[in-house]
Amino acid sequence: MKNPLKNLDPFILSGAFFLLWAFLNTYLDILRYGIDQGFYWWFCNLALIGTAFGLLFKHRGWLTGFLSIACFTQIFWVIDNQYRVFTGQNLFGLVEFMYQPGLPLDEFLLSHYHYFTIPVALIALIHLPQQKSNALLLIAIFNPLIFGVSYFVFPATQNVNCIHEPCFPGLTDWAGPLYSFLFWFIIFLVHLAIGYNLENFLVKKPLSDQFKTRSLYLFWSICFLACVSATFDTRYRLSLPSFKCSSTQLPDMEVNCGFTLDNNPQKMLFTYKMKNLKNRRQICSAYFDLEGQQIPLHQEFRVLEMENKRLEVVLPYPAKSVEVTLKASCREELSK
């Protein structure tokens, strides 16, 4: 009996798997944070998408181009995550978003694609036919495009791809247009240099069958270690306090929980929305209901006619897992 699995193309399989992973990650980013916030536009997620298409179409240029991006951006993430797994502390602070109490578990699990993008793209390039690609041209196009959109389209407060200020805590004083230009220019040169060297090593130098076989064994070993690390990381994450919020609706006002982001050490930024269903201004006060206890958020603020108002408040990390209900009390603003 023939084994149907032998006819399956590993590039198509891995490409489809990565594309599904990228779709789920992007979908959740847009669903929970909004298309206007740009969370799906981070280099790492774009590298996942680019690698997926590179695998599906066996395109050396896409693989090399996005691998050069991932080599610079994701290595810092992996180091920081490994440090957190083994010590419970931050090294760079790049992965703190994964451990802030309000991050849903599905997003936490999906974030571990960072472990796999680099080894998958690299092993694919090793086993594809050695031929020159248009990787440097693609880097020259995509790098300015990605940074340009990050800077001009999305809110500076989200600092997508660290374009408005450094992502490393303690260096935020460097923020400003000069920083943004120099940061982009240096990263652009680094990406071009990595892409050039990848092309030289993987295209110009003959790769023996023995090298390809050994690289495949190393690849599977790395994937195994990544899965083990992600398992320990998940157990650690589940041991931390969590924060869950439930929305409510008043007769004339929708009160909707939004999302949380890491803000300062042991503090998170909570975002919520108040949607006025009336054609009249209302004065509202918002609060959490925690087991019958009211925890004030914002007091006596105005919500305009039919306005969908977004509010933010910095909260401390809870000492234990909590489930709160977001509530509000509103009244019509008296006409002057």
Side-chain angles (χ1 to χ4, degrees):
M1 181 181 293
K2 293 183 178 181
N3 185 359
L5 295 178
K6 289 185 177 180
N7 298 323
L8 295 177
D9 189 327
F11 286 92
I12 301 298
L13 283 176
S14 56
F17 180 75
F18 264 42
L19 191 61
L20 175 62
W21 202 336
F23 171 79
L24 291 174
N25 197 62
T26 304
Y27 172 76
L28 288 179
D29 281 344
I30 295 175
L31 177 68
R32 289 180 175 150
Y33 305 108
I35 196 169
D36 60 314
Q37 298 301 301
F39 282 80
Y40 53 90
W41 197 254
W42 281 87
F43 261 133
C44 294
N45 190 54
L46 296 177
L48 179 64
I49 297 172
T51 300
F53 281 109
L55 291 167
L56 286 171
F57 296 103
K58 301 180 182 179
H59 196 289
R60 292 193 69 93
W62 278 73
L63 288 168
T64 303
F66 281 100
L67 176 60
S68 70
I69 290 174
C71 281
F72 183 79
T73 57
Q74 294 191 357
I75 284 177
F76 288 103
W77 186 98
V78 171
I79 293 173
D80 202 26
N81 185 248
Q82 285 294 292
Y83 190 86
R84 183 69 181 245
V85 169
F86 285 103
T87 68
Q89 303 294 324
N90 288 327
L91 180 61
F92 305 128
L94 300 177
V95 299
E96 178 60 28
F97 74 96
M98 296 175 60
Y99 305 97
Q100 56 93 3
L103 185 77
L105 186 60
D106 52 5
E107 283 187 60
F108 174 84
L109 295 172
L110 287 171
S111 294
H112 289 89
Y113 68 82
H114 294 78
Y115 282 135
F116 301 96
T117 306
I118 293 176
V120 168
L122 192 56
I123 197 66
L125 288 170
I126 290 173
H127 285 268
L128 280 173
Q130 289 181 270
Q131 57 189 26
K132 191 175 181 180
S133 74
N134 61 345
L136 296 183
L137 175 62
L138 291 175
I139 293 173
I141 294 173
F142 281 113
N143 179 287
L145 174 65
I146 292 170
F147 272 118
V149 172
S150 301
Y151 186 85
F152 292 106
V153 176
F154 302 122
T157 53
Q158 302 304 353
N159 195 31
V160 175
N161 291 314
C162 312
I163 189 58
H164 291 281
E165 64 181 42
C167 286
F168 293 94
L171 300 179
T172 53
D173 290 340
W174 293 6
L178 180 60
Y179 158 80
S180 298
F181 175 78
L182 291 176
F183 176 71
W184 163 74
F185 187 68
I186 292 171
I187 299 301
F188 185 37
L189 295 180
V190 170
H191 286 171
L192 286 172
I194 295 175
Y196 176 80
N197 284 284
L198 283 171
E199 281 279 281
N200 280 343
F201 179 76
L202 296 174
V203 175
K204 295 182 179 180
K205 182 179 180 180
L207 304 178
S208 66
D209 290 340
Q210 186 180 33
F211 175 84
K212 292 181 179 180
T213 301
R214 288 179 176 176
S215 67
L216 196 59
Y217 288 140
L218 178 61
F219 166 74
W220 287 116
S221 299
I222 291 173
C223 288
F224 173 76
L225 291 175
C227 291
V228 171
S229 181
T231 301
F232 278 102
D233 196 19
T234 304
R235 291 184 61 186
Y236 167 69
R237 173 65 178 82
L238 291 173
S239 70
L240 299 176
S242 64
F243 171 86
K244 294 181 181 179
C245 177
S246 300
S247 302
T248 57
Q249 183 167 348
L250 302 175
D252 302 316
M253 182 77 65
E254 288 184 4
V255 188
N256 297 310
C257 299
F259 54 85
T260 61
L261 298 172
D262 59 296
N263 184 262
N264 289 312
Q266 294 298 304
K267 291 184 179 180
M268 60 184 180
L269 183 70
F270 173 68
T271 299
Y272 65 100
K273 291 184 178 181
M274 303 281 291
K275 184 176 182 181
N276 192 349
L277 304 177
K278 296 184 68 174
N279 201 25
R280 294 197 178 189
R281 297 181 181 183
Q282 298 192 58
I283 302 297
C284 299
S285 294
Y287 60 92
F288 283 141
D289 186 320
L290 176 59
E291 299 177 350
Q293 177 186 0
Q294 291 188 6
I295 303 174
L297 298 177
H298 291 98
Q299 303 297 306
E300 297 291 310
F301 58 90
R302 177 184 289 110
V303 186
L304 301 179
E305 301 90 334
M306 309 303 293
E307 180 184 10
N308 193 5
K309 191 180 187 70
R310 174 174 164 169
L311 299 104
E312 297 177 342
V313 59
V314 176
L315 302 171
Y317 282 8
K320 62 179 182 179
S321 296
V322 296
E323 294 188 24
V324 299
T325 302
L326 179 63
K327 293 185 177 182
S329 58
C330 299
R331 68 178 188 276
E332 279 191 20
E333 184 178 29
L334 297 177
S335 299
K336 294 184 179 180

